[in-house]
Amino acid sequence: MAYNVFSSPLSINSVLVILLALAVALASPIHQTIINSPKVFVVGLPQTGTKSVGDALEKFSFRRPELKDFYSRYLYYMFSANYTAPLISYAQEYDILEDIPWAIAYKELATAFPDAKFILTLRANESAWLESIDKHTHRHKWKANKRIFGCKKVRGEECIRKYLDAYRAHVEGVRDFFDKEGNGRLLEVIIDAPMEMRSIKTGGEDTTVVDDKWLSLIDFLQLEGRVERLGGWGNLGLFPESTASNKAGKTWSKLQHAWDRMLNACENGIWKGVKSTVKVVKVFGFLAARGL
């Protein structure tokens, strides 16, 4: 009996992957005014201030993706399946990328983008991060937490130990990698460190007081020229600290919970579908390499 591809129903896994891939495509920029910005990867783990750094650089017209829930889940599973091409392709379209999956793919990204800069975001102490990630994993129930940290939530002594071990190992791994590289491509930012204000000269005898985090970031990325486009140092304001407050309105929290439940319901199918997709892609690549 002949096989008719048009009459054969697609599996639910295939449909999920197709829909998610479409969402990723829709989230990609079509035409944007490109300002010559250095490519930056914020490689701290969740709840270390990655969004704060992204918010800060967005003020300087760094291109930053939207619809992050869509592409981050898809790209994370592709990376977990040892298929990095989608990450590299997607990263080429933007100037600033933060959080998962970028945080755990820093080695591959450093190789693919030799001129890129990396920012390791940290909390002032492990207790602050543990408290924040505890709240986060209860608000946002993501199945991949178990793959990344060893537990879905921060509950019980064993899971607390696993989360802390993962945090320490990640920080040590990032530092060690870029220390051995020796190219000065890594900046560390402690997002909830006590605020330090510094006076800088802005012309003549005039001085302006600026948050030290701004100065470190601007110096690291050589953004001094863009400060004037924003109206001068005095217009920078305080450095964004979205993680520090950890607050959200009730309505927004309910919407976020509903959104998370919908995405999590698809996770198993997405993971299976991604693995199948990667196998198909590799087979076609193998055949193409041999001219078949």
Side-chain angles (χ1 to χ4, degrees):
M1 180 177 177
Y3 178 80
N4 188 340
V5 68
F6 297 103
S7 63
S8 300
L10 288 171
S11 70
I12 184 64
N13 292 343
S14 299
V15 172
L16 289 171
V17 171
I18 291 170
L19 290 175
L20 198 56
L22 177 61
V24 171
L26 291 173
S28 300
I30 299 175
H31 296 290
Q32 295 192 36
T33 301
I34 298 177
I35 299 175
N36 188 23
S37 299
K39 189 173 294 294
V40 179
F41 295 100
V42 186
V43 294
L45 290 176
Q47 299 306 111
T48 59
T50 57
K51 184 178 182 298
S52 296
V53 174
D55 290 345
L57 290 181
E58 201 168 24
K59 294 189 69 170
F60 291 95
S61 300
F62 276 60
R63 294 172 301 163
R64 190 183 185 194
E66 302 294 337
L67 299 176
K68 296 178 183 179
D69 274 349
F70 280 116
Y71 79 78
S72 63
R73 291 172 188 251
Y74 167 74
L75 294 177
Y76 166 76
Y77 282 113
M78 294 300 278
F79 180 74
S80 297
N82 297 316
Y83 191 51
T84 59
L87 275 79
I88 305 305
S89 177
Y90 198 83
Q92 289 173 343
E93 303 293 339
Y94 297 100
D95 302 319
I96 172 73
L97 294 138
E98 73 254 21
D99 219 312
I100 304 295
W102 315 104
I104 59 176
Y106 61 89
K107 294 179 182 179
E108 291 80 2
L109 295 169
T111 300
F113 301 98
D115 296 324
K117 299 287 188 177
F118 293 78
I119 299 176
L120 175 62
T121 47
L122 303 163
R123 299 300 295 268
N125 54 68
E126 292 178 347
S127 297
W129 177 75
L130 197 63
E131 180 181 355
S132 187
I133 197 69
D134 179 21
K135 294 177 182 178
H136 180 74
T137 55
H138 279 75
R139 287 200 309 266
H140 306 280
K141 298 176 176 63
W142 190 29
K143 293 180 182 294
N145 284 338
K146 189 170 184 179
R147 293 177 178 272
I148 298 169
F149 298 107
C151 290
K152 290 182 180 179
K153 300 179 183 179
V154 187
R155 276 293 182 268
E157 292 184 7
E158 183 179 359
C159 284
I160 289 174
R161 177 183 57 77
K162 287 182 177 180
Y163 269 78
L164 286 175
D165 286 347
Y167 180 84
R168 293 164 183 163
H170 180 74
V171 171
E172 182 180 351
V174 173
R175 286 173 173 169
D176 184 62
F177 177 83
F178 287 102
D179 183 56
K180 289 179 178 177
E181 188 187 64
N183 292 330
R185 291 207 286 165
L186 180 68
L187 172 71
E188 294 189 14
V189 175
I190 301 176
I191 202 65
D192 54 348
M195 188 183 301
E196 293 185 19
M197 307 298 288
R198 288 167 53 187
S199 296
I200 61 170
K201 288 188 177 181
T202 56
E205 298 299 321
D206 296 334
T207 61
T208 300
V209 178
V210 180
D211 190 331
D212 188 62
K213 294 187 187 72
W214 277 122
L215 294 176
S216 297
L217 189 66
I218 290 167
D219 179 64
F220 178 64
L221 298 176
Q222 300 179 350
L223 299 176
E224 292 84 354
R226 297 197 193 184
V227 173
E228 297 306 317
R229 298 179 196 172
L230 293 176
W233 292 92
N235 285 341
L236 288 177
L238 297 178
F239 196 86
E241 293 189 5
S242 57
T243 295
S245 62
N246 229 343
K247 295 178 181 177
K250 289 183 178 180
T251 302
W252 173 250
S253 294
K254 290 180 180 178
L255 290 173
Q256 186 67 58
H257 278 302
W259 178 248
D260 287 341
R261 284 196 299 270
M262 183 190 74
L263 290 177
N264 286 333
C266 301
E267 291 268 324
N268 289 332
I270 290 171
W271 174 234
K272 292 176 182 177
V274 163
K275 289 193 289 187
S276 299
T277 302
V278 170
K279 289 179 181 178
V280 171
V281 169
K282 288 183 177 179
V283 168
F284 275 108
F286 176 83
L287 295 175
R290 283 154 180 78
L292 301 175

